[in-house]
Amino acid sequence: MKTKVLVLDIDGTLTNSKKEITPETKRGIIHIMERGHKVILASGRPTPGMRRYADELELAAYGGYLLSFNGGRIINCKTGEIVYQRTLPPHVISGLYQYACKHDMGIITYMGDDILVGRRMDEYIELESRINAMPCKAVKNFAAYGEYNLNKCLMTAEPEAAARHVEKLNELYGDILSIYRSEPFFIEVMPKNVDKATSLDRMLETVGLTREDAICCGDGFNDISMIKYAGVGVAMANAQEEVKKSADFITDSNDEDGIVKVIDTFVLNQENA
C-alpha cells in the first residue's frame, strides 16, 4: 500500500461554518491514520493555536504533524520535534518595533504558549488572542526578543492605513522579509519565501515521501501554493475562484463533510492502485 499524506487547512476546510470538526470528518481522518497514512494540519496560526484540533484528532497518538505560521514551522505531534522551521533575521525586530512606535501600530510575536505584546493592546490583538486561545503578555523590551527563534511578527493597523504600511514596510524590508495583509487590519511579517508548499516539500523529504503522495486541501489564498504543489490539489466549495482555479478537484461542500469525499476518493480508493 502506498502511503498518502492528507494536508488540511483548518478554518473552512477541516472545520465547518461553526468552526467544528464534524463526527464524520473526524472518523474519516482517524481511519486513514489507523491504516498508516499521514495527516498534516496546515495553518497561518501559531502552533498553540492549532493544539485543540490536534488533540481532537488524536494526532499525538498517530504521529500527525502541524504546519504552523503558513510554513514557518512544522512539528511532529507525537515527539514534539521541530521537523523544519524558518525564522526571522534577528536584526529586523528592533526596526519593526521602532516603525510600529512611530506609526502607532500594534506589534506582537509568539513564544511558547504566549503572545508577546510589544507596545499596547488593541482590538485586533485581542482578536488574535481569542482566535488562538493564547494569553497576551506585555513585554518591556520587545526588540530583545530578536535573540530568539521567532517565526513571525504580526503588526496591526486601521484598515485604511494598513495598505500604506505594507507598501512602506516592503520598501524597507522586502528583500529579506515577506510582508502582506492576511486581514484588512493584520500585517503578517514572515521570513522571505516562506509558504506552505516550500515547507511541506522539505518536510516530506525528511520522511521519504514526495509531492505525488500529497493530497492538499484548502480554501484560502495562502493555500494556493500547496494546492498547486500537491499530487492532488483540492479546493473547498467555499473557496474563491482564484483558489478553485489552482485545484485538481473541488468539493461539493466544506460544510457537510467535503473532506470525507476527498478521503474516500483519493486515499481509500487509491490504496491498491
Side-chain angles (χ1 to χ4, degrees), residues 36-96:
H37 300 289
K38 305 293 185 184
V39 171
I40 301 172
L41 301 186
S43 176
R45 294 173 181 240
T47 307
M50 303 171 72
R51 188 171 295 146
R52 74 177 181 92
Y53 304 100
D55 291 344
E56 188 170 348
L57 294 173
E58 303 177 48
L59 295 190
Y62 291 103
Y65 297 83
L66 298 182
L67 187 159
S68 56
F69 298 119
N70 285 328
R73 178 186 293 174
I74 302 178
I75 288 183
N76 182 323
C77 295
K78 192 169 190 175
T79 65
E81 172 193 7
I82 297 176
V83 178
Y84 173 80
Q85 75 171 337
R86 290 280 305 280
T87 58
L88 293 167
H91 68 276
V92 304
I93 306 301
S94 177
L96 291 171

Side-chain angles (χ1 to χ4, degrees), residues 6 12 29 39 68-69 136 161 168 194 197 225 239 242 254-255 262 267:
L6 182 64
I29 291 171
V39 171
S68 56
F69 298 119
C136 290
K168 183 60 178 178
V194 167
S225 69
E242 187 175 341
N254 73 302
D255 218 23
V262 172
V267 181

